[in-house]
Amino acid sequence: TVNGTARSATVTGTTWRLSLLTTLAEGFYDVTARATDAVGNVGVDTTTNELEIDTTAPSAVTGIVFIPATDSILIQWTAVIAADLNGYRVYRSEVPFTNTGDASLVGSTGAAVTKFRDKTLVIGQTYYYAVVAYDTLSNVLTAVTSVGPTATR
């Protein structure tokens, strides 16, 4: 049961999957798991706040600044404030882009790091970048505004 409503689940090895007939709102839910083995023995596990539903991505990254060097570009940004922030991903393209799927992932950082040095550049090439924040459940904005152009020396 999830918050008192019976739900069905399947188990493969030690992993179980919960089948939801309706969409649950974001938040934490109490779960009671009841397992019955082949001979009819029943085991029950009741825990609170065991199931988290979170589909909200962290806010957009702002304050992106470029510091070019001879063979690299340092990208810095303003930290995103989110309790479940897990880190940042840096995307790059040779043309402006509005979706991370249209660019290459060139690096990532942890939540406490707000800079990335891109060393995989072609000297003299112009690049556009986007930095996105992602949370502990991998929610991330895919629609972005790329920033640039910036060129290596």
Side-chain angles (χ1 to χ4, degrees):
T1 61
V2 176
N3 277 13
T5 303
R7 311 282 182 169
S8 64
T10 57
V11 178
T12 305
T14 59
T15 302
W16 62 275
R17 295 197 183 280
L18 180 65
S19 300
L20 300 176
L21 300 175
T22 59
T23 302
L24 295 175
E26 288 201 18
F28 290 90
Y29 293 86
D30 300 336
V31 175
T32 299
R34 178 182 310 260
T36 306
D37 67 15
V39 295
N41 297 313
V42 177
V44 177
D45 174 30
T46 301
T47 58
T48 57
N49 290 333
E50 184 173 38
L51 175 63
E52 179 182 7
I53 304 295
D54 174 9
T55 59
T56 302
S59 60
V61 172
T62 61
I64 298 174
V65 176
F66 303 105
I67 302 170
T70 303
D71 61 348
S72 64
I73 294 177
L74 179 66
I75 303 113
Q76 296 179 315
W77 56 89
T78 304
V80 169
I81 305 302
D84 61 348
L85 182 67
N86 199 34
Y88 301 92
R89 295 181 183 133
V90 180
Y91 291 86
R92 180 185 76 200
S93 177
E94 294 176 7
V95 296
F97 59 98
T98 57
N99 188 297
T100 57
D102 296 330
S104 298
L105 176 64
V106 292
S108 61
T109 73
V113 180
T114 58
K115 61 184 174 181
F116 173 80
R117 184 171 299 280
D118 186 358
K119 296 180 181 180
T120 61
L121 306 170
V122 174
I123 302 300
Q125 176 64 51
T126 299
Y127 294 104
Y128 294 82
Y129 289 87
V131 179
V132 297
Y134 65 96
D135 66 19
T136 55
L137 295 176
S138 295
N139 293 313
V140 63
L141 296 176
T142 57
V144 296
T145 302
S146 58
V147 180
T150 186
T152 57
R153 295 180 186 169

